[in-house]
Amino acid sequence: NNNIFQKLKKKKRKKMGKLILYAIGGSAPCRAVLLTLKALNVPFEYKIINLLVGENRKPEYLAINPHGTVPTLTDDDDVLTDSHAIITYLVDKYGVDDSLYPKDLIQRAKVNKILFYEATVVFERTLLTISRSVFRSNNVITSVKIHAIFIVYESLERFLLEHQYVAGDQLTVADFSLIVTITTLFAYLELDEKKFPKIVDWVRRMERLPYYAEGNGIGLKQYYDYVKSIGFKVLL
């Protein structure tokens, strides 16, 4: 009877809601969610919110996400914001197993450590500040900010010294969250393949995922193309 109850509970937990992703491909956090959705192979509707023309500030979008940020995911009537919250939720609810976000407390803590690091250091202090400098039309990046990218590369290389993936020996959502941001940083500081061979191997490993091109590659190219079109210079 207990086994039957557990099966019914599991089936109920994974009941598919109507998923709508509000996002834009150029955004690294949006691409982390796309990778997760593609990895889980769950159906969803994709609604593009073009930040460049202010669609995220329109009343109809603010009614869904008052912060006006992307990505936003709706699952029936539930609304989730922040890519890290979204990707972990998706695996917990729709994953056929917990490999992408382990339930084991130690393994989950290792994944969370990388997610927090990506959120507070790699994205917030590095990519976000640089993108703001470029997109807000002064087009100047200080050498201090470029050096911050180099420090991130050094840290990531150390993460990968003993394992194939950033949180251990298996692919997790930590890899999804970090790969989208790291590859976006390549637009500003090209990776030295001789100095960072572990990162090179990890990136190539991620690129071999069957859903990588659709989940990250397309939006990443959009970001690269946009940065190239507006240009930037490094202030030494």
Side-chain angles (χ1 to χ4, degrees):
N1 289 338
N2 187 55
N3 288 337
I4 294 174
F5 173 76
Q6 291 298 327
K7 289 180 180 179
L8 289 173
K9 183 178 179 182
K10 185 176 181 181
K11 184 177 181 181
K12 182 178 180 181
R13 181 178 66 84
K14 293 190 177 183
K15 181 180 178 181
M16 183 63 65
K18 180 182 179 181
L19 297 178
I20 302 175
L21 175 63
Y22 300 84
I24 185 171
S27 161
C30 292
R31 283 181 263 126
V33 177
L34 270 176
L35 278 172
T36 306
L37 286 165
K38 296 295 182 182
L40 295 173
N41 195 30
V42 293
F44 66 98
E45 183 179 351
Y46 187 18
K47 292 189 177 182
I48 296 176
I49 302 297
N50 192 340
L51 278 63
L52 300 177
V53 297
E55 288 182 353
N56 59 313
R57 307 310 305 175
K58 290 184 176 181
E60 55 267 33
Y61 185 67
L62 292 175
I64 301 169
N65 179 353
H67 303 293
T69 57
V70 290
T72 296
L73 182 82
T74 60
D75 187 349
D76 289 334
D77 295 327
D78 295 315
V79 180
L80 294 93
T81 61
D82 183 88
S83 62
H84 309 87
I86 294 171
I87 62 180
T88 53
Y89 165 84
L90 285 170
V91 177
D92 275 341
K93 185 171 183 181
Y94 295 115
V96 295
D97 55 42
D98 69 341
S99 61
L100 288 174
Y101 191 50
K103 288 183 170 58
D104 176 86
L105 293 181
I106 294 298
Q107 294 304 315
R108 178 162 287 204
K110 291 178 180 179
V111 173
N112 287 339
K113 177 184 71 173
I114 300 299
L115 292 176
F116 298 152
Y117 170 72
E118 188 279 328
T120 60
V121 176
V122 186
F123 182 77
E124 183 71 25
R125 298 183 195 172
T126 310
L127 178 58
L128 186 60
T129 60
I130 290 174
S131 293
R132 283 173 174 169
S133 296
V134 173
F135 296 170
R136 292 180 179 177
S137 300
N138 63 12
N139 300 82
V140 173
I141 305 173
T142 65
S143 59
V144 172
K145 291 179 180 177
I146 295 298
H147 183 66
I149 300 176
F150 183 81
I151 297 301
V152 164
Y153 292 170
E154 287 188 324
S155 297
L156 180 54
E157 186 73 11
R158 289 194 295 271
F159 287 155
L160 294 164
L161 283 177
E162 296 182 2
H163 304 284
Q164 289 191 329
Y165 298 100
V166 294
D169 290 320
Q170 70 178 23
L171 178 73
T172 68
V173 291
D175 294 282
F176 295 160
S177 188
L178 203 51
I179 191 69
V180 296
T181 311
I182 290 295
T183 52
T184 304
L185 288 173
F186 292 168
Y188 304 106
L189 180 62
E190 188 175 351
L191 190 70
D192 185 332
E193 295 191 2
K194 292 183 178 179
K195 185 176 288 291
F196 302 112
K198 295 295 184 181
I199 299 178
V200 172
D201 289 344
W202 171 68
V203 171
R204 289 174 179 168
R205 194 173 299 117
M206 296 297 291
E207 288 175 342
R208 288 195 293 270
L209 294 172
Y211 46 82
Y212 178 87
E214 191 173 3
N216 188 46
I218 294 173
L220 182 62
K221 184 179 185 303
Q222 292 171 356
Y223 186 94
Y224 287 169
D225 289 345
Y226 184 71
V227 170
K228 185 177 180 180
S229 71
I230 60 179
F232 69 90
K233 61 181 179 179
V234 178
L235 184 64
L236 300 177

